[in-house]
Amino acid sequence: MAEISDVMVPAEPVGRSAAQPQPTAPHLFAHPAEADFAGFLDFYHVPWRYEPTSFPIAWDGDRVSEMFTPDFYLPEQDLYVELTTMKQRLVTRKHRKLRRLRELYPLVNVRLLYQRDYYELLAKLGYGAVEITSLQPADIERILFSPAELQARVRELGDQISRDYAGRSLVLVGVLKGITFFMADLARAVTRPLAIDYLSVREYAGTDGVSVGIDRDLDLDICGQHVVLVEDIVNTGLTLDYVQRALLARGPASLRVCALFDKGERRLVPVSLDYVGFAIPNQFVVGYGLDYRELYRNLPFLCVLKPSIYRADDVTT
Ligand code: IMP
Ligand code: MG
């Protein structure tokens, strides 16, 4: 059989009907590096398909004489990825095939990826290459939601609130500080006129146990206003229950609650949530505003840290 790289490519196949991507049947990974890459993508919650498309890149008369099947397709990025090793002979051949594919299918987004490029790819996926390499994913046990998943859900919440408050203006009230990024993204996803205000709460050791009180109060008077209380995460419900009562006492025209994460298993006080981003399991989570000992808030994704990171007496969830 002739070496594939020796096949001559006709000069004018561009635009002919054969130059349509053809779906191929799914198969098992051909190479351990592919399984590794799939594991890497799964860890970071990046959707992928393995070898979904074969592109004809050379013809012998009317017969396709050469195909190029990139290893992966990442639908969120509309990107084909061909993994590559350091073996120079193979790399040269892949470069040639890739060049041909780009000539024939100029709208197809494809890149040759070395293992060292993985973290650069992460930056494009919203993870931020610098942070992720210096923060050692070694700290991270499991990612629950990727930046893309968070952003998509926040947009949906924004759409829903915009529809529900059609023809009205509202006040978004956030409970500091975990709310920082969620509030910024949600407020920009809501298309109604709105004001933003914040309060913070603190736990006080009282005579009959721990109680919650307002530490920093609102600037605005919410009397007669349509208020949406925005919470990062609802756990026992104690914080939310307290804040909700405090706001209701001020006579808003209406009060609804929007929580990004709901850890329902931990509930002690029944609270009703009007908008919920994600229901999550009973694990201590960080990122996208949520902290552990004031760190990890700036991670653009939600994750669980390795058990070794938490101090034994700190986290009871
Ligand atoms: P609750 O009063 O028990 O519902 O607790 C709510 C507050 O605890 C949230 O507003 C967060 O500030 C904090 N919290 C609860 N669970 C987590 C978590 O998993 N990670 C980080 N902070 C959390
Ligand atoms: Mg909070």
Side-chain angles (χ1 to χ4, degrees), residues 230-299:
V230 185
E231 258 286 27
D232 47 5
I233 182 167
V234 182
N235 233 352
T236 61
L238 286 167
T239 313
L240 179 61
D241 182 60
Y242 171 80
V243 174
Q244 223 174 351
R245 286 168 196 277
L247 296 182
L248 276 175
R250 301 174 187 191
S254 68
L255 177 63
R256 284 187 180 178
V257 179
C258 174
L260 184 55
F261 304 113
D262 177 15
K263 225 190 269 181
E265 275 177 65
R266 294 267 296 158
R267 199 75 87 248
L268 295 177
V269 182
V271 282
S272 80
L273 307 175
D274 301 282
Y275 307 96
V276 176
F278 304 92
I280 62 166
N282 184 14
Q283 279 180 306
F284 194 84
V285 289
V286 299
Y288 197 60
L290 294 173
D291 72 308
Y292 173 60
R293 292 182 162 260
E294 291 301 326
L295 293 178
Y296 303 103
R297 287 193 200 277
N298 60 335
L299 299 181

Side-chain angles (χ1 to χ4, degrees), residues 46-101:
V46 181
W48 55 269
R49 305 216 312 264
Y50 181 62
E51 295 191 337
T53 316
S54 291
F55 297 90
I57 56 169
W59 291 262
D60 188 1
D62 268 353
R63 197 178 62 82
V64 173
S65 60
E66 190 179 6
M67 302 265 238
F68 183 24
T69 307
D71 298 320
F72 286 87
Y73 177 65
L74 312 185
E76 262 179 14
Q77 283 67 43
D78 187 22
L79 173 69
Y80 287 92
V81 170
E82 175 67 11
L83 299 183
T84 193
T85 55
M86 300 299 171
K87 290 198 192 96
Q88 205 44 54
R89 194 183 66 84
L90 295 175
V91 174
T92 311
R93 205 167 92 184
K94 278 184 178 173
H95 273 295
R96 188 193 62 78
K97 284 181 143 200
L98 212 70
R99 210 164 40 240
R100 196 64 197 128
L101 185 134

